[in-house]
CSV table of all heavy atoms in Angstrom, one decimal:
chain,number,residue,atom,x,y,z
A,339,THR,N,-20.2,-13.7,-10.2
A,339,THR,CA,-21.0,-12.6,-10.0
A,339,THR,C,-20.3,-11.3,-9.9
A,339,THR,O,-20.7,-10.3,-10.4
A,339,THR,CB,-21.9,-12.9,-8.8
A,339,THR,OG1,-22.6,-14.1,-8.9
A,339,THR,CG2,-22.9,-11.8,-8.6
A,340,LEU,N,-19.2,-11.3,-9.2
A,340,LEU,CA,-18.3,-10.2,-9.1
A,340,LEU,C,-17.8,-9.7,-10.4
A,340,LEU,O,-17.9,-8.4,-10.7
A,340,LEU,CB,-17.2,-10.4,-8.1
A,340,LEU,CG,-16.1,-9.3,-8.0
A,340,LEU,CD1,-16.6,-8.1,-7.4
A,340,LEU,CD2,-14.8,-9.9,-7.2
A,341,PHE,N,-17.3,-10.5,-11.2
A,341,PHE,CA,-16.8,-10.2,-12.5
A,341,PHE,C,-17.8,-9.7,-13.4
A,341,PHE,O,-17.6,-8.9,-14.3
A,341,PHE,CB,-15.8,-11.2,-13.0
A,341,PHE,CG,-14.5,-11.2,-12.5
A,341,PHE,CD1,-14.1,-11.9,-11.3
A,341,PHE,CD2,-13.4,-10.6,-13.2
A,341,PHE,CE1,-12.8,-11.8,-10.8
A,341,PHE,CE2,-12.2,-10.5,-12.7
A,341,PHE,CZ,-11.9,-11.1,-11.5
A,342,LYS,N,-19.0,-10.3,-13.3
A,342,LYS,CA,-20.1,-9.9,-14.2
A,342,LYS,C,-20.5,-8.5,-13.9
A,342,LYS,O,-20.7,-7.7,-14.8
A,342,LYS,CB,-21.3,-10.9,-13.9
A,342,LYS,CG,-22.5,-10.5,-14.8
A,342,LYS,CD,-23.7,-11.5,-14.5
A,342,LYS,CE,-24.8,-11.1,-15.4
A,342,LYS,NZ,-26.1,-12.0,-15.1
A,343,PHE,N,-20.4,-8.1,-12.6
A,343,PHE,CA,-20.8,-6.8,-12.3
A,343,PHE,C,-19.7,-5.8,-12.7
A,343,PHE,O,-20.0,-4.7,-13.2
A,343,PHE,CB,-21.0,-6.6,-10.7
A,343,PHE,CG,-21.5,-5.3,-10.3
A,343,PHE,CD1,-22.7,-4.8,-10.7
A,343,PHE,CD2,-20.6,-4.5,-9.5
A,343,PHE,CE1,-23.2,-3.5,-10.2
A,343,PHE,CE2,-21.1,-3.2,-9.1
A,343,PHE,CZ,-22.4,-2.8,-9.5
A,344,LEU,N,-18.4,-6.3,-12.7
A,344,LEU,CA,-17.4,-5.5,-13.3
A,344,LEU,C,-17.6,-5.1,-14.8
A,344,LEU,O,-17.4,-3.9,-15.2
A,344,LEU,CB,-16.1,-6.2,-13.1
A,344,LEU,CG,-14.9,-5.5,-13.8
A,344,LEU,CD1,-14.5,-4.2,-13.1
A,344,LEU,CD2,-13.6,-6.5,-13.8
A,345,LEU,N,-18.0,-6.1,-15.5
A,345,LEU,CA,-18.4,-5.9,-16.9
A,345,LEU,C,-19.5,-4.9,-17.1
A,345,LEU,O,-19.5,-4.0,-18.0
A,345,LEU,CB,-18.6,-7.2,-17.6
A,345,LEU,CG,-17.5,-8.2,-17.6
A,345,LEU,CD1,-17.9,-9.4,-18.4
A,345,LEU,CD2,-16.2,-7.6,-18.2
A,346,GLU,N,-20.5,-5.0,-16.2
A,346,GLU,CA,-21.6,-4.0,-16.3
A,346,GLU,C,-21.1,-2.6,-16.1
A,346,GLU,O,-21.5,-1.6,-16.8
A,346,GLU,CB,-22.7,-4.3,-15.3
A,346,GLU,CG,-23.4,-5.7,-15.6
A,346,GLU,CD,-24.4,-6.0,-14.5
A,346,GLU,OE1,-24.7,-5.1,-13.6
A,346,GLU,OE2,-25.0,-7.1,-14.5
A,347,LEU,N,-20.3,-2.4,-15.1
A,347,LEU,CA,-19.8,-1.1,-14.8
A,347,LEU,C,-18.9,-0.6,-15.9
A,347,LEU,O,-18.9,0.6,-16.3
A,347,LEU,CB,-19.0,-1.0,-13.5
A,347,LEU,CG,-19.7,-1.3,-12.2
A,347,LEU,CD1,-18.8,-1.3,-11.0
A,347,LEU,CD2,-20.8,-0.3,-12.0
A,348,LEU,N,-18.1,-1.5,-16.5
A,348,LEU,CA,-17.1,-1.1,-17.5
A,348,LEU,C,-17.8,-0.7,-18.8
A,348,LEU,O,-17.3,0.0,-19.6
A,348,LEU,CB,-16.2,-2.3,-17.8
A,348,LEU,CG,-14.9,-2.1,-18.5
A,348,LEU,CD1,-14.1,-1.0,-17.8
A,348,LEU,CD2,-14.1,-3.3,-18.7
A,349,SER,N,-19.1,-1.1,-19.0
A,349,SER,CA,-19.8,-0.7,-20.3
A,349,SER,C,-20.2,0.8,-20.2
A,349,SER,O,-20.4,1.4,-21.3
A,349,SER,CB,-21.1,-1.5,-20.3
A,349,SER,OG,-22.0,-1.3,-19.3
A,350,THR,N,-20.3,1.5,-19.1
A,350,THR,CA,-20.6,2.9,-19.0
A,350,THR,C,-19.7,3.8,-18.3
A,350,THR,O,-19.6,5.0,-18.6
A,350,THR,CB,-22.0,3.0,-18.3
A,350,THR,OG1,-21.9,2.5,-16.9
A,350,THR,CG2,-23.1,2.4,-19.0
A,351,PHE,N,-18.7,3.2,-17.4
A,351,PHE,CA,-17.9,4.0,-16.7
A,351,PHE,C,-16.9,4.9,-17.4
A,351,PHE,O,-16.6,6.0,-17.1
A,351,PHE,CB,-17.1,3.1,-15.6
A,351,PHE,CG,-16.3,3.9,-14.7
A,351,PHE,CD1,-17.0,4.7,-13.6
A,351,PHE,CD2,-15.0,4.0,-14.8
A,351,PHE,CE1,-16.2,5.4,-12.8
A,351,PHE,CE2,-14.2,4.8,-13.9
A,351,PHE,CZ,-14.8,5.5,-12.9
A,352,PRO,N,-16.2,4.3,-18.5
A,352,PRO,CA,-15.2,5.1,-19.3
A,352,PRO,C,-15.9,6.5,-19.8
A,352,PRO,O,-15.2,7.5,-19.7
A,352,PRO,CB,-14.8,4.2,-20.4
A,352,PRO,CG,-15.0,2.8,-19.8
A,352,PRO,CD,-16.1,3.0,-19.0
A,353,SER,N,-17.1,6.3,-20.3
A,353,SER,CA,-17.7,7.5,-20.9
A,353,SER,C,-18.1,8.5,-19.7
A,353,SER,O,-18.0,9.7,-19.8
A,353,SER,CB,-19.0,7.2,-21.7
A,353,SER,OG,-19.9,6.5,-20.8
A,354,HIS,N,-18.5,8.0,-18.6
A,354,HIS,CA,-18.7,8.9,-17.4
A,354,HIS,C,-17.5,9.6,-16.9
A,354,HIS,O,-17.5,10.8,-16.7
A,354,HIS,CB,-19.3,8.0,-16.2
A,354,HIS,CG,-19.3,8.7,-15.0
A,354,HIS,ND1,-20.4,9.6,-14.5
A,354,HIS,CD2,-18.5,8.7,-13.8
A,354,HIS,CE1,-20.1,10.0,-13.3
A,354,HIS,NE2,-18.9,9.5,-13.0
A,355,GLN,N,-16.4,8.9,-16.9
A,355,GLN,CA,-15.2,9.5,-16.5
A,355,GLN,C,-14.7,10.6,-17.5
A,355,GLN,O,-14.2,11.7,-17.1
A,355,GLN,CB,-14.0,8.5,-16.3
A,355,GLN,CG,-12.7,9.1,-15.9
A,355,GLN,CD,-11.8,8.1,-15.3
A,355,GLN,OE1,-12.1,7.4,-14.3
A,355,GLN,NE2,-10.6,7.9,-15.9
A,356,PHE,N,-14.9,10.3,-18.8
A,356,PHE,CA,-14.5,11.3,-19.8
A,356,PHE,C,-15.3,12.5,-19.6
A,356,PHE,O,-14.8,13.7,-19.7
A,356,PHE,CB,-14.6,10.6,-21.2
A,356,PHE,CG,-14.6,11.7,-22.3
A,356,PHE,CD1,-13.4,12.3,-22.6
A,356,PHE,CD2,-15.7,12.1,-22.9
A,356,PHE,CE1,-13.3,13.3,-23.6
A,356,PHE,CE2,-15.7,13.0,-23.9
A,356,PHE,CZ,-14.5,13.6,-24.3
A,357,ARG,N,-16.7,12.4,-19.5
A,357,ARG,CA,-17.5,13.6,-19.4
A,357,ARG,C,-17.2,14.4,-18.2
A,357,ARG,O,-17.2,15.6,-18.2
A,357,ARG,CB,-19.0,13.2,-19.4
A,357,ARG,CG,-19.5,12.6,-20.7
A,357,ARG,CD,-21.0,12.5,-20.7
A,357,ARG,NE,-21.5,11.5,-19.7
A,357,ARG,CZ,-21.6,10.2,-20.0
A,357,ARG,NH1,-21.4,9.7,-21.2
A,357,ARG,NH2,-22.0,9.4,-19.0
A,358,ALA,N,-17.0,13.7,-17.1
A,358,ALA,CA,-16.6,14.4,-15.8
A,358,ALA,C,-15.3,15.2,-16.0
A,358,ALA,O,-15.2,16.4,-15.6
A,358,ALA,CB,-16.5,13.5,-14.7
A,359,ALA,N,-14.3,14.6,-16.6
A,359,ALA,CA,-13.0,15.3,-16.7
A,359,ALA,C,-13.1,16.4,-17.8
A,359,ALA,O,-12.5,17.5,-17.6
A,359,ALA,CB,-11.9,14.2,-17.2
A,360,TRP,N,-13.9,16.2,-18.9
A,360,TRP,CA,-14.0,17.1,-19.9
A,360,TRP,C,-14.7,18.4,-19.4
A,360,TRP,O,-14.2,19.6,-19.6
A,360,TRP,CB,-14.8,16.6,-21.1
A,360,TRP,CG,-14.9,17.6,-22.2
A,360,TRP,CD1,-16.1,18.4,-22.4
A,360,TRP,CD2,-14.1,17.9,-23.3
A,360,TRP,NE1,-15.9,19.1,-23.5
A,360,TRP,CE2,-14.6,18.9,-24.1
A,360,TRP,CE3,-12.7,17.5,-23.6
A,360,TRP,CZ2,-14.0,19.4,-25.2
A,360,TRP,CZ3,-12.2,18.0,-24.7
A,360,TRP,CH2,-12.8,18.9,-25.5
A,361,GLN,N,-15.9,18.2,-18.7
A,361,GLN,CA,-16.6,19.4,-18.2
A,361,GLN,C,-15.8,20.1,-17.2
A,361,GLN,O,-15.8,21.4,-17.2
A,361,GLN,CB,-17.8,18.9,-17.5
A,361,GLN,CG,-18.9,18.4,-18.5
A,361,GLN,CD,-19.3,19.4,-19.5
A,361,GLN,OE1,-18.9,19.4,-20.7
A,361,GLN,NE2,-20.1,20.4,-19.2
A,362,ASN,N,-15.0,19.5,-16.4
A,362,ASN,CA,-14.1,20.3,-15.5
A,362,ASN,C,-13.0,21.0,-16.2
A,362,ASN,O,-12.6,22.1,-15.8
A,362,ASN,CB,-13.5,19.3,-14.4
A,362,ASN,CG,-14.4,19.0,-13.3
A,362,ASN,OD1,-14.9,19.8,-12.6
A,362,ASN,ND2,-14.7,17.7,-13.2
A,363,GLN,N,-12.5,20.3,-17.3
A,363,GLN,CA,-11.5,21.0,-18.1
A,363,GLN,C,-11.9,22.3,-18.8
A,363,GLN,O,-11.3,23.2,-18.8
A,363,GLN,CB,-11.0,20.0,-19.1
A,363,GLN,CG,-9.9,20.5,-20.0
A,363,GLN,CD,-9.5,19.5,-21.1
A,363,GLN,OE1,-9.7,18.3,-21.0
A,363,GLN,NE2,-9.0,19.9,-22.3
A,364,GLN,N,-13.3,22.1,-19.3
A,364,GLN,CA,-13.8,23.4,-19.8
A,364,GLN,C,-14.1,24.5,-18.9
A,364,GLN,O,-14.0,25.6,-19.2
A,364,GLN,CB,-15.2,23.0,-20.6
A,364,GLN,CG,-15.0,21.9,-21.7
A,364,GLN,CD,-13.9,22.2,-22.6
A,364,GLN,OE1,-13.8,23.3,-23.2
A,364,GLN,NE2,-12.9,21.2,-22.7
A,365,LEU,N,-14.4,24.1,-17.7
A,365,LEU,CA,-14.6,25.2,-16.6
A,365,LEU,C,-13.3,25.9,-16.4
A,365,LEU,O,-13.2,27.1,-16.4
A,365,LEU,CB,-15.1,24.5,-15.4
A,365,LEU,CG,-15.1,25.5,-14.1
A,365,LEU,CD1,-16.1,26.6,-14.4
A,365,LEU,CD2,-15.5,24.8,-12.9
A,366,LYS,N,-12.1,25.2,-16.3
A,366,LYS,CA,-10.8,25.8,-16.2
A,366,LYS,C,-10.5,26.6,-17.5
A,366,LYS,O,-9.8,27.7,-17.3
A,366,LYS,CB,-9.8,24.7,-15.9
A,366,LYS,CG,-10.0,23.9,-14.6
A,366,LYS,CD,-8.9,22.9,-14.5
A,366,LYS,CE,-9.1,22.1,-13.2
A,366,LYS,NZ,-8.1,21.0,-13.1
A,367,ALA,N,-10.9,26.1,-18.6
A,367,ALA,CA,-10.6,26.9,-19.8
A,367,ALA,C,-11.3,28.2,-19.9
A,367,ALA,O,-10.7,29.3,-20.2
A,367,ALA,CB,-11.0,26.0,-21.1
A,368,ILE,N,-12.6,28.2,-19.5
A,368,ILE,CA,-13.3,29.5,-19.5
A,368,ILE,C,-12.9,30.5,-18.4
A,368,ILE,O,-12.8,31.7,-18.6
A,368,ILE,CB,-14.8,29.2,-19.4
A,368,ILE,CG1,-15.5,30.6,-19.9
A,368,ILE,CG2,-15.3,28.8,-18.1
A,368,ILE,CD1,-17.1,30.3,-19.9
A,369,ILE,N,-12.4,29.9,-17.3
A,369,ILE,CA,-11.8,30.8,-16.2
A,369,ILE,C,-10.5,31.4,-16.8
A,369,ILE,O,-10.3,32.6,-16.5
A,369,ILE,CB,-11.5,29.9,-15.0
A,369,ILE,CG1,-12.9,29.5,-14.4
A,369,ILE,CG2,-10.7,30.8,-14.0
A,369,ILE,CD1,-12.7,28.6,-13.1
A,370,SER,N,-9.7,30.6,-17.4
A,370,SER,CA,-8.4,31.2,-17.9
A,370,SER,C,-8.6,32.2,-19.1
A,370,SER,O,-7.7,33.0,-19.4
A,370,SER,CB,-7.5,30.1,-18.3
A,370,SER,OG,-8.1,29.3,-19.4
A,371,ASN,N,-9.8,32.2,-19.7
A,371,ASN,CA,-10.0,33.1,-20.9
A,371,ASN,C,-11.1,34.0,-20.6
A,371,ASN,O,-11.8,34.4,-21.6
A,371,ASN,CB,-10.4,32.2,-22.2
A,371,ASN,CG,-9.2,31.4,-22.7
A,371,ASN,OD1,-8.3,31.9,-23.3
A,371,ASN,ND2,-9.2,30.1,-22.4
A,372,LEU,N,-11.4,34.4,-19.3
A,372,LEU,CA,-12.5,35.2,-19.0
A,372,LEU,C,-12.3,36.6,-19.5
A,372,LEU,O,-11.2,37.2,-19.3
A,372,LEU,CB,-12.7,35.2,-17.4
A,372,LEU,CG,-13.9,35.8,-16.9
A,372,LEU,CD1,-15.1,34.9,-17.3
A,372,LEU,CD2,-13.9,35.8,-15.4
A,373,SER,N,-13.3,37.1,-20.1
A,373,SER,CA,-13.2,38.5,-20.7
A,373,SER,C,-13.4,39.5,-19.6
A,373,SER,O,-13.9,39.2,-18.5
A,373,SER,CB,-14.2,38.7,-21.8
A,373,SER,OG,-14.2,37.7,-22.8
A,374,ALA,N,-13.0,40.7,-19.9
A,374,ALA,CA,-13.2,41.8,-19.0
A,374,ALA,C,-14.7,42.1,-18.7
A,374,ALA,O,-15.5,42.0,-19.6
A,374,ALA,CB,-12.5,43.1,-19.5
A,375,ASN,N,-15.0,42.4,-17.5
A,375,ASN,CA,-16.3,42.7,-17.0
A,375,ASN,C,-17.3,41.5,-17.0
A,375,ASN,O,-18.5,41.7,-16.9
A,375,ASN,CB,-17.0,43.8,-17.9
A,375,ASN,CG,-16.2,45.1,-17.7
A,375,ASN,OD1,-15.7,45.5,-16.6
A,375,ASN,ND2,-16.1,45.8,-18.9
A,376,ASP,N,-16.7,40.3,-17.1
A,376,ASP,CA,-17.5,39.1,-17.1
A,376,ASP,C,-17.2,38.4,-15.8
A,376,ASP,O,-16.2,38.5,-15.2
A,376,ASP,CB,-17.2,38.1,-18.3
A,376,ASP,CG,-17.8,38.6,-19.6
A,376,ASP,OD1,-18.7,39.6,-19.5
A,376,ASP,OD2,-17.5,38.2,-20.7
A,377,CYS,N,-18.1,37.5,-15.5
A,377,CYS,CA,-18.0,36.7,-14.2
A,377,CYS,C,-18.5,35.3,-14.5
A,377,CYS,O,-19.3,35.1,-15.4
A,377,CYS,CB,-18.6,37.3,-13.0
A,377,CYS,SG,-20.4,37.2,-13.0
A,378,ILE,N,-18.1,34.3,-13.7
A,378,ILE,CA,-18.5,32.9,-13.8
A,378,ILE,C,-19.3,32.6,-12.6
A,378,ILE,O,-18.8,32.8,-11.4
A,378,ILE,CB,-17.3,32.0,-14.0
A,378,ILE,CG1,-16.6,32.3,-15.3
A,378,ILE,CG2,-17.8,30.5,-14.0
A,378,ILE,CD1,-15.4,31.4,-15.5
A,379,CYS,N,-20.5,32.1,-12.7
A,379,CYS,CA,-21.3,31.7,-11.6
A,379,CYS,C,-21.5,30.1,-11.6
A,379,CYS,O,-21.8,29.6,-12.6
A,379,CYS,CB,-22.7,32.4,-11.6
A,379,CYS,SG,-22.6,34.2,-11.5
A,380,ILE,N,-21.2,29.6,-10.4
A,380,ILE,CA,-21.5,28.1,-10.2
A,380,ILE,C,-22.7,28.0,-9.4
A,380,ILE,O,-22.6,28.3,-8.2
A,380,ILE,CB,-20.2,27.4,-9.7
A,380,ILE,CG1,-19.1,27.6,-10.7
A,380,ILE,CG2,-20.5,25.9,-9.5
A,380,ILE,CD1,-17.8,27.0,-10.2
A,381,HIS,N,-23.8,27.5,-9.9
A,381,HIS,CA,-25.0,27.4,-9.2
A,381,HIS,C,-25.2,26.0,-8.6
A,381,HIS,O,-24.8,25.0,-9.2
A,381,HIS,CB,-26.2,27.8,-10.1
A,381,HIS,CG,-26.2,29.1,-10.7
A,381,HIS,ND1,-26.8,30.2,-10.0
A,381,HIS,CD2,-25.6,29.6,-11.7
A,381,HIS,CE1,-26.5,31.3,-10.7
A,381,HIS,NE2,-25.8,30.9,-11.8
A,382,ASP,N,-25.9,26.0,-7.5
A,382,ASP,CA,-26.3,24.7,-6.9
A,382,ASP,C,-27.8,24.7,-6.9
A,382,ASP,O,-28.5,25.3,-6.2
A,382,ASP,CB,-25.8,24.6,-5.4
A,382,ASP,CG,-26.2,23.3,-4.8
A,382,ASP,OD1,-26.4,22.4,-5.6
A,382,ASP,OD2,-26.2,23.2,-3.6
A,383,PHE,N,-28.4,23.9,-7.9
A,383,PHE,CA,-29.8,23.8,-8.1
A,383,PHE,C,-30.4,25.2,-8.3
A,383,PHE,O,-31.4,25.6,-7.6
A,383,PHE,CB,-30.5,23.1,-6.9
A,383,PHE,CG,-30.1,21.6,-6.8
A,383,PHE,CD1,-29.1,21.3,-5.9
A,383,PHE,CD2,-30.6,20.7,-7.7
A,383,PHE,CE1,-28.7,19.9,-5.8
A,383,PHE,CE2,-30.2,19.4,-7.5
A,383,PHE,CZ,-29.3,19.0,-6.6
A,384,SER,N,-29.9,25.9,-9.3
A,384,SER,CA,-30.4,27.3,-9.5
A,384,SER,C,-31.0,27.3,-10.9
A,384,SER,O,-31.0,26.3,-11.6
A,384,SER,CB,-29.3,28.3,-9.4
A,384,SER,OG,-29.8,29.6,-9.4
A,385,GLU,N,-31.5,28.5,-11.3
A,385,GLU,CA,-32.1,28.6,-12.6
A,385,GLU,C,-31.2,29.3,-13.6
A,385,GLU,O,-30.2,30.0,-13.2
A,385,GLU,CB,-33.4,29.4,-12.5
A,385,GLU,CG,-34.4,28.8,-11.6
A,385,GLU,CD,-35.6,29.7,-11.4
A,385,GLU,OE1,-35.7,30.7,-12.1
A,385,GLU,OE2,-36.5,29.4,-10.6
A,386,ASN,N,-31.5,29.2,-14.8
A,386,ASN,CA,-30.8,30.0,-15.9
A,386,ASN,C,-29.3,29.6,-16.1
A,386,ASN,O,-28.6,30.3,-16.6
A,386,ASN,CB,-30.9,31.5,-15.7
A,386,ASN,CG,-32.4,31.9,-15.6
A,386,ASN,OD1,-33.1,31.4,-16.3
A,386,ASN,ND2,-32.7,32.9,-14.7
A,387,PHE,N,-28.9,28.4,-15.6
A,387,PHE,CA,-27.6,28.1,-15.9
A,387,PHE,C,-27.6,27.4,-17.2
A,387,PHE,O,-28.5,26.8,-17.7
A,387,PHE,CB,-27.0,27.1,-14.8
A,387,PHE,CG,-27.9,26.1,-14.3
A,387,PHE,CD1,-28.0,24.9,-15.0
A,387,PHE,CD2,-28.6,26.3,-13.1
A,387,PHE,CE1,-28.8,23.9,-14.5
A,387,PHE,CE2,-29.4,25.2,-12.6
A,387,PHE,CZ,-29.5,24.0,-13.3
A,388,ARG,N,-26.4,27.3,-17.9
A,388,ARG,CA,-26.3,26.9,-19.2
A,388,ARG,C,-25.3,25.8,-19.5
A,388,ARG,O,-25.2,25.1,-20.5
A,388,ARG,CB,-25.9,28.0,-20.2
A,388,ARG,CG,-27.0,29.1,-20.3
A,388,ARG,CD,-28.1,28.5,-21.0
A,388,ARG,NE,-29.3,29.5,-21.1
A,388,ARG,CZ,-30.3,29.5,-20.3
A,388,ARG,NH1,-30.3,28.6,-19.3
A,388,ARG,NH2,-31.2,30.3,-20.4
Side-chain angles (χ1 to χ4, degrees):
T339 305
L340 170 64
F341 275 86
K342 181 181 178 181
F343 186 64
L344 171 69
L345 297 181
E346 291 179 9
L347 295 179
L348 199 57
S349 64
T350 58
F351 185 74
S353 60
H354 167 79
Q355 177 162 302
F356 166 72
R357 289 191 297 268
W360 177 267
Q361 290 301 101
N362 281 304
Q363 179 183 338
Q364 300 313 303
L365 175 62
K366 294 178 181 178
I368 193 174
I369 290 175
S370 61
N371 293 283
L372 194 62
S373 303
N375 300 321
D376 285 348
C377 69
I378 296 173
C379 297
I380 300 178
H381 298 267
D382 182 20
F383 295 99
S384 187
E385 300 177 11
N386 299 325
F387 44 81
R388 291 292 174 265

